[in-house]
Amino acid sequence: MSEISAPIVVMTGATSGIGRLAAIELASRGAHLVLIARSEVNAEATGNAIRTVAPQAQIDIHYADLTRLETVSAVGQTIAREYGRIDVLINNAGIHAFAPRTTVDGYDEMMAVNYLAPWLLTSTLRETLIRSAPSRIVTTASEASRHHGKIELTGDMFAPTRFSWLGSSRIYGRTKLLDIMLSLELSRQLEGTGVAVNCLDPGFNVTGLGRELSFAPMLERILTRLKIGDPRRGAGIIVRLAMDAEFGTATGGYFSVKDATPLEPVSPADDPNARQALWAITHEVLGAIS
């Protein structure tokens, strides 16, 4: 980590859920937060929540719609120009859509937000992170990746597909599998640069549970009362990978929310050749934007 007292942490998905809790903890540890948000209202509320705990926190807000990949590229380029260094990039934003939606770019919405956007943002900030080494890239994946169904590594896998709310978990799991593959392949590519690249399973977290389901608020209240799915655990593993010394040099890991135990990814994320093939496919699909 940089010797300067305020490490610069770029983060998506910090305006709600475990991301907001992680941002608050990062600020309390002295991080200079550079948050990428979509909603000005949510960003302002998050800034207020952070300053309640860390009044002197440095917080910069940049705006992008992760369903619109040109805005992702643009915000990445802006951040690369404005900051001399980046100590940590945290790809935390994600959605679980319970009905199929197509982005303006023609991709499945979950694929765009959960995988294509972090791939593009990371690629845009890659050289800055290398120049800033020792630095870190942390990506929020999920053990839902174990339920991804059948996957074929072609450019068509990003295209919209029909699914019911029950079948949405398979698509969500697929996007998180790709996040793991992204992280592990990037670790290989950046070996020896001083950039530590890791991903994590945040476990089950009540906060923001099934936002699109009508019964979600009631279920969230019940689970909170039963102390099931404490979001502080999910936030904690993000902060550990971003800030703790033991993860400053560890790279190429996929870690559990349970005591940061290493996890073995499911196939094909366990195959280096498949990971490289996915990278090549994604680069071909997004090359014009990046």
Side-chain angles (χ1 to χ4, degrees), residues 13-185:
T15 60
S16 64
I18 63 174
R20 179 185 284 195
L21 294 175
I24 291 171
E25 177 60 22
L26 289 165
S28 71
R29 293 196 185 193
H32 175 172
L33 297 178
V34 180
L35 306 182
I36 299 174
R38 177 177 180 176
S39 163
E40 292 186 18
V41 172
N42 291 345
E44 181 179 1
T46 297
N48 292 336
I50 292 170
R51 290 191 177 95
T52 298
V53 176
Q56 304 304 316
Q58 292 178 273
I59 309 169
D60 300 333
I61 308 293
H62 295 263
Y63 293 96
D65 181 347
L66 301 190
T67 69
R68 296 172 177 263
L69 296 179
E70 285 190 359
T71 74
V72 176
S73 179
V75 78
Q77 292 173 31
T78 297
I79 290 171
R81 285 195 306 269
E82 292 187 5
Y83 299 88
R85 74 176 203 282
I86 297 172
D87 296 284
V88 185
L89 168 63
I90 302 176
N91 293 308
N92 176 65
I95 60 168
H96 185 153
F98 290 89
R101 291 189 290 266
T102 303
T103 71
V104 294
D105 302 310
Y107 301 117
D108 173 81
E109 185 183 48
M110 277 195 280
M111 274 291 179
V113 173
N114 296 358
Y115 173 68
L116 295 175
W119 191 99
L120 184 56
L121 179 63
T122 303
S123 295
T124 307
L125 298 178
R126 176 176 179 146
E127 293 306 315
T128 304
L129 285 155
I130 292 173
R131 290 197 307 270
S132 306
S135 56
R136 311 184 193 193
I137 300 171
V138 177
T139 299
T140 301
S142 173
E143 282 290 80
S145 59
R146 299 189 182 279
H147 309 290
H148 61 78
K150 184 179 180 181
I151 183 169
E152 294 184 5
L153 296 178
T154 70
D156 293 337
M157 66 184 165
F158 307 133
T161 184
R162 297 178 63 84
F163 58 84
S164 66
W165 72 273
L166 286 174
S168 65
S169 294
R170 176 175 53 84
I171 307 300
Y172 175 78
R174 185 173 301 167
T175 67
K176 290 303 177 179
L177 176 79
L178 300 188
D179 282 337
I180 297 170
M181 296 175 75
L182 157 66
S183 187
L184 299 185
E185 169 58 14

Side-chain angles (χ1 to χ4, degrees), residues 206-223:
V206 166
T207 303
L209 176 69
R211 295 183 182 93
E212 299 179 21
L213 298 177
S214 60
F215 56 82
M218 178 183 67
L219 180 59
E220 184 171 327
R221 288 193 296 271
I222 293 171
L223 294 175

